Amino acid sequence: MGLYDGRPIGPEGRSIGANHVPVILQHEKHGDLIALRTGMLVDRETGEKTCIAAPLCGNTNYLRAFHEGRVRYPQGEEWNAYGLPWFAQGVRLPAGLSLDELYDLWRNLPHATHGHESPSPDWEYIATDGGNTLIARVRDGESRTLRLSPNGGHYHIQWTKHPRFFVGWVRGWHFVSYLRPQNANIEFQVFTDGTFQPIVDTKHLFNGYYSGGDFSMFSPDATKIHYGSSMTGRFRNYVAVMARPRPPEAVTAVVEDGAIRLTWQPSAYSSETRGYLVYRSTTSGDGYVLLTPEPVAGTAYRDTAIEAERPYHYVVTSLEHAGLESGYSDEAVVGQPPRLVVYAEAENSIRDLGTDDRPGLAFGVDRRSASNWGFLYRHPEMNEGTANLAVTVPRAHPYYLWARLRSARSGTSTWRIGAGDWNVSVTGRATEWTWVRAEGEPKVFSGTVTFRLHTADETAQMDLLCLTDDADFVPEGPRPEKTAPPRPVAALQAENVQPRANRLSWQAA
């Protein structure tokens, strides 16, 4: 079968079975048949392409046919009859594998076929599409449903990449009807806590192919999504940006042999990372200048252009092959600066929680005005919410605490922020993001500090925390960042640096 559907494809490329059926017994012309997933794996580094045939289904009896050698594959030019002439030059087959290996192969290959069901990466939950989307827990069958549109079904689901969310499309019409339902043609990001938000309008035409934004796929780090659209009159492929890449973690800076040596660790989502960009400033929290126009391939860098006894502040970003750049990492400091400013993204407190965690706080996206596009808010079905946010403080000192807040509606919204036995309140009184300083005297913090973020206000939203040892410092806007975009591909070509043609091919061997 091709990468389109669950229908078994017979000789001459014709569908010979019902939709989504991996096995046909006693077909009147062809006898017993088994459907395969076929496709091409592309190595992102080398561009090497490998044609593969793999299991379509994870059912034990189905996989046993592979394991026991009862599957007859086309040979050589026989693949031409199935519309796969490139397979005639050789294909990688799932032969000689154990049942467990076959199961893992089915589970881990990209599910580019009909995604009516999709499991979470930890295999704790399975989501199923339909008018009501079902999220069922595997171990006990506990489930919940949600509806994204009053008269349009949630169609085709992709999970598998991130434990907190999956993506599906609201079909723009029912069969035999061209009524355009609410939220039609929208790709939605659905979180395991039942909240959801739109990603992109696929802008399908009414005469578009019925499957619409069907067959969407994540890039490995879930920063981009591939989908189809008939907006130009023909069904074409598109890629949309979902999120910024993650910055590296655990950035450290130490003086070493007359230079400053920086080290860091890749984030948990770094499969698409081309390299890292290092920035330096003589002022904490702002004014960073790029030191590495060409990305650093490894996880270390030596800064030799320094002056003795002068304080330096470093941040590092991740740069994807596609040109997307992350926000700044935590700041690493060398020397004794006159002022320190520490920023922390509030949404990081729940970003990587498992599928089972229900903190009562939810993840929101604001690509226009929130720092790093994400923010934290109280879950609409909960009376209150609490989450923990770890913040690394470069040196022990009394710090003032600021929070960037807004209210979803007019009025006030209050957050309680604590660490150990220390607690303060901050209250937002605006519908636009506004910095608010916690009342009271500064508090001494050092090392890694875990802050508790708690609210019982249904309109409360939080974007950033800021710690500073300067009583006169007032943060402004989101966390200050470099505003110049990464160099475009055309500039790289002008320098005879040819980007690999497969940079956006994320089905790596």
Side-chain angles (χ1 to χ4, degrees), residues 142-478:
E142 178 183 281
S143 63
R144 64 181 302 164
T145 60
L146 65 150
R147 191 171 184 89
L148 306 185
S149 174
N151 59 345
H154 195 197
Y155 199 50
H156 291 181
I157 288 172
Q158 274 293 324
W159 201 333
T160 71
K161 295 294 183 184
H162 194 284
R164 293 301 289 177
F165 67 85
F166 57 87
V167 163
W169 183 74
V170 171
R171 185 163 56 195
W173 49 86
H174 295 289
F175 294 111
V176 198
S177 171
Y178 288 92
L179 294 176
R180 192 181 185 90
Q182 182 177 329
N183 296 335
N185 303 332
I186 303 293
E187 292 275 7
F188 273 93
Q189 184 178 25
V190 182
F191 290 87
T192 54
D193 60 15
T195 59
F196 56 88
Q197 56 202 4
I199 300 172
V200 63
D201 185 348
T202 64
K203 299 184 183 299
H204 258 66
L205 303 181
F206 283 132
N207 63 346
Y209 194 63
Y210 91 94
S211 57
D214 183 5
F215 317 124
S216 62
M217 291 180 67
F218 293 141
S219 63
D221 297 333
T223 58
K224 295 180 289 295
I225 185 172
H226 160 269
Y227 63 95
S229 173
S230 65
M231 71 174 81
T232 63
R234 295 183 60 190
F235 195 74
R236 298 181 184 275
N237 296 294
Y238 297 87
V239 174
V241 175
M242 284 183 59
R244 297 182 71 177
R246 304 282 189 93
E249 302 171 349
V251 180
T252 62
V254 295
V255 178
E256 179 181 276
D257 299 329
I260 295 176
R261 175 178 169 79
L262 283 87
T263 59
W264 56 87
Q265 296 176 5
S267 75
Y269 294 81
S270 57
S271 296
E272 299 178 70
T273 300
R274 173 190 171 195
Y276 300 93
L277 301 179
V278 179
Y279 296 84
R280 184 183 71 186
S281 176
T282 56
T283 303
S284 181
D286 197 1
Y288 302 107
V289 176
L290 180 64
L291 299 181
T292 57
E294 185 63 24
V296 177
T299 57
Y301 175 77
R302 282 176 59 84
D303 182 12
T304 58
I306 62 172
E307 300 176 16
E309 307 301 325
R310 189 173 188 178
Y312 291 101
H313 307 262
Y314 296 90
V315 291
V316 184
T317 64
S318 304
L319 183 67
E320 287 190 353
H321 291 293
L324 295 177
E325 185 178 4
S326 74
Y328 291 150
S329 68
D330 291 343
E331 186 180 83
V333 181
V334 172
Q336 293 294 322
R339 184 190 76 187
L340 279 174
V341 178
V342 180
Y343 290 99
E345 301 285 347
E347 70 275 7
N348 285 347
S349 61
I350 65 169
R351 182 190 290 269
D352 289 324
L353 295 180
T355 54
D356 249 351
D357 293 317
R358 300 288 188 271
L361 297 173
F363 185 100
V365 172
D366 174 4
R367 293 180 177 88
R368 293 181 181 273
S369 56
S371 172
N372 218 29
W373 300 4
F375 65 92
L376 197 65
Y377 69 100
R378 204 203 78 183
H379 193 286
E381 297 177 1
M382 303 294 183
N383 293 324
E384 59 184 15
T386 302
N388 293 322
L389 178 65
V391 179
T392 300
V393 179
R395 71 177 181 191
H397 202 277
Y399 288 90
Y400 297 91
L401 173 70
W402 291 81
R404 192 169 188 244
L405 308 176
R406 74 179 178 189
S407 177
R409 298 186 296 274
S410 59
T412 63
S413 56
T414 299
W415 290 82
R416 293 283 296 171
I417 303 175
D421 58 359
W422 175 82
N423 289 279
V424 294
S425 293
V426 286
T427 299
R429 294 180 171 85
T431 57
E432 301 296 328
W433 291 117
T434 305
W435 282 103
V436 180
R437 194 172 94 170
E439 298 296 331
E441 296 299 315
K443 169 71 174 177
V444 176
F445 296 115
S446 64
T448 300
V449 183
T450 299
F451 288 94
R452 296 183 305 276
L453 310 178
H454 175 272
T455 186
D457 285 352
E458 62 179 355
T459 65
Q461 299 179 354
M462 181 186 295
D463 179 29
L464 279 169
L465 286 186
C466 177
L467 297 173
T468 179
D469 57 7
D470 184 352
D472 297 324
F473 175 77
V474 178
E476 298 180 5

